[in-house]
Amino acid sequence: MNKPWQPYALHILDAIAKIRRIQARGDLARDEVLYDAALRNLQTLSEATQLLPDDRKAAFPSIPWKEISGFRNILVHNYLGTIDPLTISNVIERHLQPLEDCIRAMLAQEPGGRDE
C-alpha cells in the first residue's frame, strides 16, 4: 500500500502561505529572523516535494523538481553562510507561485479534488 501523498502537498501549500506571511512582516534581506524563518519553510517545502509521487510530478514538467530537491540539500548542508538573502528572495519571488499553482492542480485532479 502506498503512503498518501496529499498531506505532503498540503504541507507545501502551508509552507508557501507561511513564507508569504513572513514576507509581509518585513524585508528578508534586512531582518535575520525573518530570513531564517523563510529558509526553514523553504527547506521543509523542498523536502516535502521529494515525497510526492514521481508520476504526479511528471505531469508538471515545467516545475524544476530536481532543482527543488537540490535546493533543499543546499539549504540543509550549506550552513557556512554562502546562501544570501537576495538569492532567497529571488527564489521566493520567481518560483513559489508556479509551485503553488502546480500543487493546487495536483490536488484538484484527485477524486473529490480539493486544494485547501
Side-chain angles (χ1 to χ4, degrees):
M1 184 168 136
N2 289 336
K3 190 171 183 178
W5 60 270
Q6 294 86 348
Y8 301 110
L10 293 172
H11 178 71
I12 292 165
L13 294 177
D14 184 53
I16 290 170
K18 286 178 184 177
I19 291 167
R20 291 200 173 118
R21 288 194 303 272
I22 291 164
Q23 283 184 298
R25 290 184 177 214
D27 185 354
L28 301 178
R30 295 179 186 230
D31 186 320
E32 68 181 27
V33 173
L34 296 178
Y35 176 69
D36 286 347
L39 283 180
R40 174 68 178 141
N41 281 282
L42 285 170
Q43 175 189 331
T44 61
L45 84 79
S46 296
E47 192 162 336
T49 65
Q50 296 174 354
L51 301 168
L52 298 173
D54 288 338
D55 64 324
R56 300 279 175 180
K57 292 190 284 189
F60 297 90
S62 64
I63 300 298
W65 300 109
K66 288 182 183 179
E67 289 82 359
I68 293 171
S69 178
F71 187 62
R72 179 256 177 217
N73 293 335
I74 291 169
L75 291 172
V76 170
H77 300 293
N78 195 358
Y79 52 86
L80 296 177
T82 57
I83 302 170
D84 67 272
L86 295 177
T87 300
I88 295 303
S89 293
N90 186 40
V91 166
I92 290 169
E93 292 300 321
R94 291 183 61 217
H95 299 289
L96 283 193
Q97 189 62 54
L99 179 61
E100 179 180 4
D101 295 343
C102 166
I103 298 300
R104 289 191 184 284
M106 279 184 184
L107 289 167
Q109 291 173 350
E110 281 299 287
R114 49 182 242 211
D115 66 349
E116 297 180 19

